[in-house]
Amino acid sequence: MNILQNITVLGSTGSIGVSTLDVIRRHPERYRVFALCAHSQLEKLFEQCCEFRPRFAVLRDAPLASLLAERCRAAGLDTEVRHGIEALIELSSLPEVDAVMAAIVGAAGLEPTLAAARAGKKIMLANKEVLVMAGELFMRAVRESGASLLPVDSEHNAIFQALPTDFARGLTACGVRRILLTASGGPFRNTPLADLQGVTPEAACAHPNWVMGRKISVDSATMMNKGLEVIEAHWLFAAPPERIQVVVHPQSVIHSAVDYADGSVLAQLGNPDMRTPIAYALAYPERIEAGVEPLDLFKIGRLEFFDPDFERFRCLQLAYDVLHQGGTAPAILNAANEVAVAAFLDRQLPFLGIARLNEEVLSKVQAGPEGSLADVLAADAEARQVASRLIKECRFA
């Protein structure tokens, strides 16, 4: 008999949050939505509240939260509406919460996800920035509290499935030679470099395989997303940078693989649908129906693999660089990139300016040790300030 699990969904109106609720919808006997948390999509959050009737709902700003509370009362819902970061932190760590889906995009998800780790929760991690910004602090909190950490990024979920269950004792001890982190290459893998300067936000957000939010779609187009995943893999699997190899695989059928010392390569395959890793994380170590179409290998026909072009995808090289540097350098890169992508989407920065801005911010902001959360947040704030100033100066037009 299954025990009903209370789930807090951080970022419920985003693509990962919506997919999570779709899997939960299929298994009402297993999961209950305890809290839904969103940034500003009031209407979408209200619809989710009407269907799942959570005990709590959170929006970022008080005025929006007041409007949502009025809507919930008028609909006869018992949902209590909160607002702000403190509410996110509390609803990630309450004793009634069994598991947290950490799907808030960007640095905004750091503090509530860290609170869930410190509270010993089962954490389904879709927010890679948590490990990019504060990998040492976060993994220490997981170890000290006994929290369960299950990666939801399709690539890291695939690696988790292909590694032995005792991989924590060390990759060498487990016979692992390399982690093969696959990447689609995004929409501009074959675009001439001369044509990239004029890339529009609409083109950058048109991912060939995955349905994702605008920010992560742009990161995929620059391959910054893959760079962040390299850093994430380093912390999740205690893997040195030189043992994490990015492999461009346009079909996005092999989600990642593990290369073993005896010559074996274990890969996880599936259709590009985030409900697969979400269902795996929700039910681990069991398997449940996710609503995903079975993989038809005959229909796929062929699988291709290429080396990444580090000149074309400068952001990927920057991610390896800051991983080698350590300390707050990854947090600085992440902050600069968030500002750069937002400026690109607002048409204030050209596509190629994203990598140039990131590199310039890294040269101007001094990285220090990742001693505390305050150190990480200070580095993040300084990098954002410098990046915003450089954009205003029109340095990368």
Side-chain angles (χ1 to χ4, degrees):
M1 182 176 178
N2 295 316
I3 299 175
L4 198 66
Q5 294 184 50
N6 283 328
I7 312 293
T8 287
V9 183
L10 301 174
S12 68
T13 58
S15 60
I16 297 295
V18 169
S19 293
T20 299
L21 293 177
D22 184 69
V23 176
I24 289 174
R25 182 184 293 118
R26 298 167 188 274
H27 301 278
E29 77 288 353
R30 283 177 170 265
Y31 310 108
R32 176 180 180 271
V33 176
F34 181 79
L36 293 172
C37 309
H39 183 267
S40 58
Q41 294 194 55
L42 185 152
E43 191 62 38
K44 196 168 185 178
L45 183 57
F46 173 66
E47 292 173 2
Q48 292 176 344
C49 288
C50 288
E51 178 179 359
F52 293 96
R53 296 180 173 266
R55 183 170 168 187
F56 296 98
V58 180
L59 282 163
R60 176 181 176 180
D61 297 325
L64 283 177
S66 295
L67 290 173
L68 179 62
E70 291 176 11
R71 297 282 298 276
C72 288
R73 283 194 297 270
L77 302 179
D78 293 330
T79 300
E80 180 181 335
V81 180
R82 304 273 190 88
H83 74 276
I85 185 67
E86 292 303 324
L88 295 178
I89 291 171
E90 180 183 1
L91 296 178
S92 300
S93 53
L94 285 176
E96 299 98 311
V97 175
D98 297 302
V100 175
M101 170 56 74
I104 294 176
V105 175
L110 172 59
E111 291 184 82
T113 309
L114 185 57
R118 288 170 171 164
K121 302 301 181 185
K122 173 183 173 180
I123 302 167
M124 297 169 284
L125 188 65
N127 178 316
K128 60 181 60 66
E129 289 84 1
V130 169
L131 285 170
V132 170
M133 293 179 66
E136 184 178 350
L137 291 171
F138 184 76
M139 294 306 295
R140 185 190 310 142
V142 168
R143 290 191 298 270
E144 291 177 351
S145 70
S148 299
L149 181 59
L150 295 161
V152 171
D153 264 350
S154 61
E155 295 84 357
H156 302 88
N157 188 271
I159 294 163
F160 185 84
Q161 293 188 51
L163 283 171
T165 55
D166 62 345
F167 70 84
R169 67 191 177 96
L171 297 185
T172 300
C174 293
V176 173
R177 184 158 47 194
R178 291 177 301 167
I179 286 173
L180 303 175
L181 192 68
T182 58
S184 70
F188 308 130
R189 182 175 62 85
N190 295 317
T191 303
L193 284 173
D195 295 341
L196 291 180
Q197 184 69 15
V199 162
T200 65
E202 291 75 20
C205 291
H207 195 282
N209 300 334
W210 296 94
V211 177
M212 305 181 293
R214 283 163 63 80
K215 195 269 181 183
I216 193 172
S217 294
V218 175
D219 281 348
S220 179
T222 64
M223 280 192 74
M224 174 58 84
N225 192 51
K226 200 55 49 180
L228 299 180
E229 288 176 5
V230 169
I231 299 172
E232 186 181 6
H234 163 72
W235 289 110
L236 283 171
F237 310 118
E242 60 273 12
R243 293 175 72 173
I244 305 171
Q245 181 178 350
V246 173
V247 179
V248 176
H249 168 49
Q251 291 80 18
S252 296
V253 170
I254 294 178
H255 297 303
S256 276
V258 176
D259 175 23
Y260 285 87
D262 63 2
S264 300
V265 177
L266 301 186
Q268 187 265 341
L269 285 71
N271 283 317
D273 190 318
M274 286 305 300
R275 290 177 296 177
T276 295
I278 288 167
Y280 184 85
L282 275 168
Y284 181 81
E286 301 177 58
R287 302 270 183 171
I288 59 174
E289 165 64 32
V292 178
E293 287 294 318
L295 180 65
D296 186 343
L297 289 173
F298 300 105
K299 185 177 179 180
I300 292 165
R302 66 177 184 177
L303 301 176
E304 298 174 295
F305 307 94
F306 305 94
D307 286 326
D309 182 343
F310 285 93
E311 180 184 357
R312 174 184 297 272
F313 299 115
R314 179 62 183 154
C315 286
L316 178 59
Q317 182 62 62
L318 292 177
Y320 272 103
D321 292 344
V322 298
L323 180 55
H324 281 288
Q325 185 176 354
T328 60
I332 293 167
L333 176 60
N334 179 73
N337 185 68
E338 287 191 17
V339 174
V341 171
F344 168 70
L345 291 171
D346 287 341
R347 304 179 192 276
Q348 299 174 359
L349 191 70
F351 181 74
L352 293 180
I354 296 173
R356 294 200 300 268
L357 178 66
N358 290 338
E359 192 162 12
E360 184 74 6
V361 172
L362 284 170
S363 72
K364 291 184 177 300
V365 180
Q366 182 67 39
E370 185 192 310
S372 67
L373 180 59
D375 294 330
V376 172
L377 295 178
D380 175 88
E382 184 182 357
R384 290 175 191 276
Q385 183 180 41
V386 171
S388 297
R389 175 173 56 79
L390 291 172
I391 291 169
K392 289 179 181 177
E393 294 173 357
C394 299
R395 294 280 297 279
F396 304 97

